[in-house]
Amino acid sequence: MDANPSTAMYPLHRCKTIYLVRHAQGIHNVEGEKDHSAYMSPHLFDAHLTPLGWNQVDCLHEHVKKSGLAQKIELVITSPLLRTMQTAVGVFGGENPVDGVSASPLMVENAGHSSRPAISSLNCPPFLAVEACREHLIENDEDVLWEPNVREANSSVAARGMKFIDWLWTREEKEIAIVSHSGFLYHTLSMYSRESHPTIREEVGKHFANCELRSMVLVDTSMLGSKSPTYNYPGRTPAGLDLPSDAGFG
């Protein structure tokens, strides 16, 4: 027999499924494709989605509903920037209220220059905005080390991304959607896949298209999670006439 199997097996309670999404097209993407330096413009740091971006959101929202994913996701984590929050709410937001049913809005009408109707919170998972999964950081102007044209190094983005993934193990949810940015996703996944088979490394490390969704299995290999297995059963035999067969052969 092969002593080095090509597959791996882990206890289910040490695994989570995460759904990684890059935000839809923002106005900064349009300008950046014309002139890459536009990405450093202070006026575009918190860009909103374009009309095409909202069309991308609608398409992914429909896919999430038809595939059944909308019923599986227990938590949506989003970068706190406008383009990611608009994408997260548009993709994973709630159903339209029906007669006699009311729900507070996740997004008010025309939020962020969207020209969109309000999006309900009805029958949708909770949302959480987390600074740790946003795009390259730029220090604020209260910091004495702040430089207006210096962005966080790629290696720092990757390290921040790995800490963020470790933090997910403090959450009880097993199926989590994360809406973030191209750079954050690329550098984080490249770091995680650096020792993988080249085929896996290529698949995991590809740049995300706008509003692309990828599903990944996250495995706790360092005992970060403390939850006990939900479905396991110890196999105890009730007292009876037959002797227990705990040792078992076959």
Side-chain angles (χ1 to χ4, degrees), residues 39-42 45-46 78-81 83-84 129-141 143 145-164 180-185 187-188:
Y39 283 117
M40 295 298 294
S41 169
F45 284 164
D46 199 18
T78 177
S79 155
L81 295 183
R83 55 191 179 273
T84 42
V130 176
E131 179 74 11
C133 67
R134 61 154 289 174
E135 187 56 287
H136 290 75
L137 299 174
I138 298 179
E139 300 296 338
N140 64 56
D141 54 9
D143 191 328
L145 300 178
W146 180 72
E147 296 181 63
N149 297 314
V150 176
R151 303 179 83 196
E152 184 181 22
N154 293 339
S155 59
S156 297
V157 175
R160 174 163 56 88
M162 295 184 76
K163 289 181 180 179
F164 168 76
S180 188
H181 306 263
S182 175
F184 177 83
L185 294 170
H187 295 298
T188 300

Side-chain angles (χ1 to χ4, degrees), residues 19-21 57 60-65 69-71 73 75-78 84-95 106 119-127 176-179 212-213:
Y19 304 93
L20 303 175
V21 180
V57 166
L60 182 53
H61 175 74
E62 191 65 23
H63 168 76
V64 165
K65 286 178 56 180
L69 188 56
Q71 286 72 46
I73 291 175
L75 175 68
V76 179
I77 296 175
T78 177
T84 42
M85 291 194 292
Q86 287 180 321
T87 301
V89 170
V91 171
F92 300 107
E95 305 167 1
L106 279 174
I119 296 177
S120 168
S121 61
L122 183 65
N123 295 331
C124 73
F127 284 67
I176 303 174
I178 299 160
V179 183
E212 179 180 357
L213 181 151

